[in-house]
Amino acid sequence: MEDLPDAEVPHTDPVPPRFHTGRLPNSKAGDGKPRLLLMGQRRSGKSSISSVVFHKLPPSETLYLETTTRIKKESMHSFMDFQVWDFPGHLDYFDPAFDVDNIFEEIGALIWVIDAQDEYLEAIMRLNTTILNLQHSYPNINVEVFVHKVDGLSEDYKGDTFRDIIQRVQDELSDHGYENAPVSFYQTSIYDHSIFEAFSKVIQKLIPQLPTLEALLNSLCSTCHIEKAYLFDIMSKIYIATDTSPTDIGSYEICSDYIDVVIDVSEIYGWPRGEQNGDDESLTETGNNDAESLITMERKGNNYLYLREINKYLALICLMGDDSPAEKKAVIDYNVGVFQAALKQVFPRAERDAVDAPAT
Ligand SMILES: Nc1nc2c(ncn2[C@@H]2O[C@H](COP(=O)(O)OP(=O)(O)OP(=O)(O)O)[C@@H](O)[C@H]2O)c(=O)[nH]1
């Protein structure tokens, strides 16, 4: 992970004409990295979200985060490179002083954070204005609305607030004839797994290979009688794909907790990995050599878990149900090996990086 220079704002150049670039979110034009823009009112929780998900900051320490005064840009290096831009809450991005194209051109998703514990009408008004402005110039941008800080709300109030926010946004959009605008809503909190789940869904929309990944995971699950399989980005604990059987937050939580344990232990006793140790040659081995991959099996409650590192960015975690995977280990290992080889073709970059370039 690397800090990019903060933007000097506002920009005073004349505003160039606005148009949709027609590029895929992760197109290689410009700097080539899809952007996730974090926007919303002051104190809604934008910097906290970015710090907890991408920097492993303990949620309670977000209490001490200072208010963001400039656009904070960070570059994330993982199975795919992307940027996260954290915007100060008070800015009006459509003010002619801003270079709107520079902000929205390479965007993968706009994440709009609404503090559900606070008065949210103004936040919705700004969100609606933003969506309507975007619909003119960039109609394909995914707008992801995080109804955030829901941890402090009762179940009933949480549901009512969520529905109310969706209704208000949808009413405004249909009044302007944009019923089908790509806007999605999530209930999130940094104090549980919901923020990682929401981010997983946001990131998955930016992966053109997602249908292929799902098909590969489906096939792995049916061949090895796996209940549920997740492909995790190890460092952020975002899952980039899962098989198409129904997903419940419980199974995601088990897998995510398990990743934490395994990663903590392997960081103490295992090989160097990831961003902190990007130029270590042994990463090549880890990425390509089955014998060096980490494989664990564990019984958690009624479930056996199977974890295997796929490359330096990704780990496969499978919920095996109450059938011990030890009995079918050979079949699972073989099929996961096939899956790993297929993944190399889907994400050649992850493998190439492990060989060619140090992560920065
Ligand atoms: N209860 C609760 N508090 C949260 C959550 N996320 C963030 N907070 C708190 O909200 C406060 C504001 O968080 P920030 O991340 O600084 O908000 P911001 O949107 O970046 O604020 P600006 O930089 O001023 O735009 C902090 O005290 C966080 O601890 C959450 O999920 N639940």
Side-chain angles (χ1 to χ4, degrees), residues 40-49 59-60 62-69 86-90 117 148-152 188-191:
Q41 301 292 88
R42 272 196 166 175
R43 311 299 291 159
S44 53
K46 303 176 292 294
S47 309
S48 307
I49 291 173
S60 54
T62 59
L63 286 169
Y64 311 110
L65 287 177
E66 286 177 10
T67 199
T68 313
T69 52
D86 181 4
F87 281 73
H90 60 282
Q117 293 185 13
H148 192 52
K149 305 193 191 178
V150 290
D151 51 275
T188 56
S189 164
I190 53 170
Y191 288 98

